[in-house]
Structures are given as C-alpha cells and as structure tokens.
Amino acid sequence: MEYVLLILIGFTAGTIGSLVGLGGGVIIVPALLFLGATAFLPEISPQVAVGTSLVVIIFNGLSSTLSYMKHKTVDYKSGLLFFLGSGPGAIIGAWVNNLLNVAHFSLYFGMFLVFSSFLFMLQGRSANERKRKNLKLIRTYITNEGETITYGYHPVPAILISFIVGFFGGLFGIGGGSLMVPAMILLFFFPPHVAVATTMFIICLSSLVSSFTHIMLGNVQWMFTLALIPGVWFGAKTGAWINQRLKSKTIVMILRIVLILLGIRLIYQGIA
C-alpha cells in the first residue's frame, strides 16, 4: 500500500513540477515528512527526504526535458551557462542541509516557499515595461501564435543568480525551479514556456550533482526512490503536455496556490 501511495506522490510531483518548472521537490519533500510523521510511511529525517527527492528529481528533469525537446522550447546554451552557477551552488546547499534540524528545516523551507510565491506575483508587469529595460538581448523565440520574442541576459549576473538558485535547490531538495523560473522571466525576460522548459533542463543537471553529494552522505532512502521514479517519470510527461495547452496566467495562479499552501503548512510545523 505504501508503494502505491509513493507512486501517486511521484506522479503528482512530476506533473506539477514539469507544469510550472519546479522539479517536483516542493511536493515530494513535504509529503515524505508529513506521511512519515503520520505513520503512513516509515519516518525519515529531513536530510533523507531531501536526498531522496533530489535523486528522483533527476528523472523528473530528464523526462520533462525530453518532452519539451519535441516543442523546441529548451534553450540549451542558456541552460548550460546557468548550470555553471547552479552546479556548485547545489553541492554547497547539500552540505549545509546536514546542519539543519527538523524544526528549523520546516520553518526555513516554508518561508522559502512563501517568498517564492511572491516572486511569481511580480510577473504581472507588461511587455512594454520590460522593453524599456536596457538589457543585452541575445536570444529569440517564436511562439505557437507566430510572435517573435527577444530576450537576453548578462552572463555574470546570470551565473551569480543561478548559484543562489542551485544552493537553495541542494539545501531544500526542490531543484531550485521556484526561484529560477521567476528569475528568468523577471530579470532576463524569458518567454514563460522557454523559462519552464530550460529550467527543467537545468534542474536535471543540478539535481544530478547535488544528489551525488547526498548519496555520499547516505541521505537516500532507495526503496522510496524506486517507488517514486515511475510516477515522476510519467507525471513529468503529463505536466509538459498540459503546459503547452494552458495560458501562462493559469499556470502562475496554480503555482501561487501550491507554494502558499505548502509554505504555510511547513511554517506551522516548524513553529508548533
């Protein structure tokens, strides 16, 4: 019964993670901690929840990337550049994770999710306001409607921001997408669909690096991992399929609700 539950958790995490570019850890980590505390699953530590989540997210990122490749929405050159920062950040975050206890972990994780939800609320700026910003534009993307969108970034700020994102991804086991997606859209003006697809590519690489650190530290529950992977794999494909059919505003609204609810739940758990 517990493995059926884990498959369902994996499918939900994969679908939501791929849909909005989060990687799925925002579902997997709280679910493992909550169900472990209620005896539905064997209890595990936050470190093991994070380590297990990061290994699973590798497959979420890979499945999503393969799906988004068909729609040609993955910006590989930008993804590899951002990974130069997120890779080292993910390793450091994975090591820092071992210094947190349960209460502090839940409190910080919850605050992080609520903060991320506010970042997404800033996406309401108009396209005209974005065009007034003086940035080096180096990429173009043609939408399904035939509109050509130009976007770009400066390499140094991009690498620094991705380092911070990778750090939080390794620290909380979430892949870092809840910061990377709004950063791409708000700071570098990526089209939402390209931001999500490219973030899933980065998450796959970053999770591979940070999960190796957690494996070396013994922070992976392998039976949970094997049960979660099939659900995440097919959930990621489902999320990518839905992503191509929903309006950006709908996706952002779903994301806000998910982040706020999970954040409030974890903050309460951390201070109770």
Side-chain angles (χ1 to χ4, degrees), residues 26-91:
V26 292
I27 303 296
I28 295 175
V29 175
L32 291 179
L33 293 176
F34 175 74
L35 294 175
T38 56
F40 282 98
L41 293 175
E43 185 174 359
I44 62 175
S45 68
Q47 287 75 23
V48 173
V50 168
T52 301
S53 172
L54 284 169
V55 174
V56 174
I57 289 174
I58 295 173
F59 295 89
N60 188 9
L62 178 60
S63 178
S64 299
T65 300
L66 292 174
S67 297
Y68 284 124
M69 283 174 59
K70 299 177 181 178
H71 302 285
K72 299 181 179 179
T73 52
V74 182
D75 186 339
Y76 299 102
K77 292 182 179 179
S78 297
L80 291 173
L81 178 67
F82 278 67
F83 178 65
L84 292 178
S86 64
I91 295 176

Side-chain angles (χ1 to χ4, degrees), residues 234-254:
F234 290 105
K237 293 188 176 299
T238 302
W241 181 83
I242 296 174
N243 175 279
Q244 298 300 311
R245 288 158 178 79
L246 288 181
K247 295 181 179 180
S248 296
K249 291 183 178 179
T250 303
I251 295 174
V252 171
M253 182 59 66
I254 295 172

Side-chain angles (χ1 to χ4, degrees), residues 1-10 28-29 31-37 39-45 48-53 55-57 59 219-232:
M1 178 61 185
E2 64 184 31
Y3 294 106
V4 174
L5 182 60
L6 287 170
I7 291 175
L8 292 176
I9 292 172
I28 295 175
V29 175
L32 291 179
L33 293 176
F34 175 74
L35 294 175
F40 282 98
L41 293 175
E43 185 174 359
I44 62 175
S45 68
V48 173
V50 168
T52 301
S53 172
V55 174
V56 174
I57 289 174
F59 295 89
N219 292 340
V220 178
Q221 221 287 10
W222 289 106
M223 294 304 294
F224 285 6
T225 301
L226 293 176
L228 286 164
I229 286 175
V232 161

Side-chain angles (χ1 to χ4, degrees), residues 15-22 68 117 120-121 123 144 177 181-182 185 191-197 238-259:
T15 301
I16 296 177
S18 180
L19 174 63
V20 293
L22 294 185
Y68 284 124
S117 71
F120 271 94
M121 292 179 185
Q123 293 182 21
N144 295 332
V181 173
I185 295 175
H193 288 90
V194 177
V196 170
T238 302
W241 181 83
I242 296 174
N243 175 279
Q244 298 300 311
R245 288 158 178 79
L246 288 181
K247 295 181 179 180
S248 296
K249 291 183 178 179
T250 303
I251 295 174
V252 171
M253 182 59 66
I254 295 172
L255 179 60
R256 290 175 185 171
I257 295 172
V258 170
L259 292 179

Side-chain angles (χ1 to χ4, degrees), residues 90-186:
I91 295 176
I92 296 175
W95 280 100
V96 173
N97 171 271
N98 282 273
L99 303 177
L100 299 178
N101 60 32
V102 177
H104 288 164
F105 179 87
S106 299
L107 178 61
Y108 297 151
F109 195 5
M111 293 171 62
F112 174 76
L113 294 183
V114 173
F115 172 72
S116 298
S117 71
F118 283 106
L119 287 182
F120 271 94
M121 292 179 185
L122 297 176
Q123 293 182 21
R125 298 186 303 170
S126 67
N128 289 333
E129 182 181 351
R130 291 179 179 181
K131 290 178 182 178
R132 288 196 296 267
K133 301 295 183 180
N134 183 22
L135 286 178
K136 182 180 179 181
L137 304 175
I138 57 176
R139 295 283 189 272
T140 58
Y141 170 71
I142 301 177
T143 66
N144 295 332
E145 293 76 24
E147 179 185 1
T148 301
I149 299 177
T150 305
Y151 62 98
Y153 48 84
H154 294 284
V156 174
I159 293 175
L160 291 176
I161 291 173
S162 61
F163 175 85
I164 296 173
V165 169
F167 174 81
F168 280 110
L171 180 66
F172 294 131
I174 59 174
S178 55
L179 276 181
M180 184 63 79
V181 173
M184 284 184 168
I185 295 175
L186 294 172

